[in-house]
Amino acid sequence: MLTVKLMGNKRLEIGEAPDPKPAPDEVLIQVKASGICGGEMHGFRGEKATGGNSGHEVAGVVADPQGHPQWAAGDEVVIFTLQGCGKCRWCRQGKDTFCKEVKIPRATHSQYTTSRATAMLKKPADISFPLAVLLGGDGLGVPMGATWKAGVKPGDITCVIGCGPVGLGMVMCQAFLGAKVIAVEPNPARRALAMKLGAWQTLDPTAVPDPAQALRDMTEGIGPEKVFEASGRQESVDLYMNATAPEGVVVIVGHGKQQLDPQRLIIKRNLTIMGNWICHPALYPRMLSFARSGLEPQRLITGVYPFMQAQTAFERCEAGLEAKAILEW
Ligand SMILES: [Zn+2]
Ligand SMILES: [Zn+2]
């Protein structure tokens, strides 16, 4: 099969690789659409050639059900990014996230991949393959999960720090729910995308001497009530520590080394700090319902590229020019 190979220093090659061999609990999937995740940029920028790819957000067609009676060749499927064992306490709640035997689809920027037979659903006819990638994967799962966790409602003033694909997804979901969203992001292209997805205001944190004060100035001196950290940077911690309104909520989804001073948060500000790790398959029915109730999550997909143009798609993601980009066969 053909697959994307990360060659280091922002270079990709498309080359041959052996077809994946499904484990006994897996089926063989012919990939139709594969999402590029913000988390993959590290490997793309890095110097090391990995010779493979870390695509994991995928939708496709069952190529070989491998004897699993619930599937037939040709079935169009939504595939979950996090695939639990299906038997443990967490999996039975739809929270595969915490399953000790969780699997993730591998190297999905390829012609074929594998999926656990129990971690897929039939793709509804009104959902395109690229949209199915968002609904089954972390592309929409993380933004929705974080937004619901904080209980965002109409009239809330929220703040999203970092507008990569996940941050932009949160802007879109929260604006749809009626919140006034402030998007904090140094990259002007991403700030423009945030406005397009419904942000109320944007802030370039590098253009003002005190970003926390700037956020208070935008909110009648109070600060945003619900703040979402999606950059993984220490500067963000300092920003939400200083800017979040007392009694406010902070949800951390960004990956990176950060140091917290809980004394300041807990004693003096009464903040609630939450984490949100990827997404639960249990969120899927609600996401599908949102998708059909006017959210139009496909707005988050700013680029659908033929698989052979993966280099261009990755470059544009790395430059912050895309919200969510999808490779399509
Ligand atoms: Zn991802
Ligand atoms: Zn499990």
Side-chain angles (χ1 to χ4, degrees):
M1 67 167 182
L2 289 176
T3 190
V4 168
K5 300 181 176 185
L6 268 58
M7 304 309 291
N9 298 311
K10 304 188 192 176
R11 296 299 309 163
L12 299 181
E13 270 177 19
I14 294 172
E16 292 280 341
D19 288 357
K21 287 202 172 43
D25 61 349
E26 292 176 338
V27 303
L28 185 67
I29 297 291
Q30 183 193 350
V31 175
K32 286 290 184 185
S34 178
I36 299 176
C37 185
E40 292 177 66
M41 291 305 117
H42 216 75
F44 180 58
R45 285 187 205 111
E47 289 177 14
K48 226 174 81 200
T50 66
N53 69 76
S54 47
H56 52 269
E57 304 174 23
V58 63
V61 170
V62 175
D64 185 342
Q66 303 280 328
H68 293 278
Q70 68 271 48
W71 299 113
D75 282 345
E76 299 183 345
V77 285
V78 175
I79 298 167
F80 294 121
T81 293
L82 288 179
Q83 310 199 330
C85 69
K87 296 169 202 152
C88 73
R89 162 202 169 96
W90 297 112
C91 286
R92 295 184 72 145
Q93 294 178 44
K95 296 180 178 175
D96 300 39
T97 322
F98 308 126
C99 176
K100 286 205 163 59
E101 293 165 41
V102 75
K103 289 185 183 179
I104 295 177
R106 290 177 300 274
T108 62
H109 308 317
S110 305
Q111 273 177 308
Y112 292 94
T113 186
T114 56
S115 169
R116 267 187 159 151
T118 51
M120 319 189 296
L121 294 171
K122 273 213 168 150
K123 183 179 78 63
D126 62 325
I127 302 295
S128 67
F129 282 108
L131 186 50
V133 169
L134 277 191
L135 294 178
D138 42 318
L140 195 60
V142 177
M144 282 267 187
T147 298
W148 282 329
K149 197 161 270 181
V152 172
K153 55 185 191 306
D156 279 349
I157 297 181
T158 70
C159 173
V160 174
I161 305 175
C163 289
V166 165
L168 288 168
M170 292 195 287
V171 170
M172 178 183 75
C173 294
Q174 294 169 16
F176 175 71
L177 288 170
K180 293 164 84 172
V181 189
I182 303 170
V184 177
E185 167 62 50
N187 181 323
R190 287 178 167 172
R191 286 201 305 276
L193 285 168
M195 288 307 287
K196 239 172 130 177
L197 289 166
W200 170 50
Q201 297 186 60
T202 62
L203 173 68
D204 176 357
T206 62
V208 290
D210 182 352
Q213 185 57 45
L215 287 175
R216 280 192 292 273
D217 290 344
M218 291 167 153
T219 52
E220 298 178 10
I222 296 163
E225 301 156 297
K226 291 171 181 169
V227 177
F228 299 81
E229 200 299 292
S231 79
R233 299 167 64 91
Q234 184 64 36
E235 294 93 308
S236 310
V237 178
D238 301 332
L239 180 54
Y240 70 67
M241 293 253 289
N242 290 319
T244 308
E247 307 255 283
V249 174
V250 176
V251 186
I252 301 172
V253 304
H255 294 242
K257 211 168 170 197
Q258 297 181 331
Q259 276 192 325
L260 266 183
D261 177 1
Q263 289 276 321
R264 271 172 75 195
L265 297 164
I266 292 165
I267 297 176
K268 294 199 176 162
R269 306 183 67 80
N270 285 19
L271 297 192
T272 302
I273 311 261
M274 300 172 168
N276 186 70
W277 172 237
I278 312 214
C279 57
H280 299 315
L283 291 176
Y284 171 81
R286 205 166 161 199
M287 283 200 278
L288 184 60
S289 166
F290 264 54
R292 288 169 169 165
S293 322
L295 173 66
E296 295 178 25
Q298 57 271 31
R299 289 178 297 147
L300 198 58
I301 302 171
T302 48
V304 177
Y305 293 86
F307 184 82
M308 299 306 280
Q309 288 175 21
Q311 176 76 45
T312 307
F314 267 77
E315 279 172 11
R316 287 184 54 82
C317 289
E318 202 272 332
L321 299 173
E322 303 283 359
K324 195 77 189 172
I326 307 270
L327 301 178
E328 195 178 46
W329 282 99

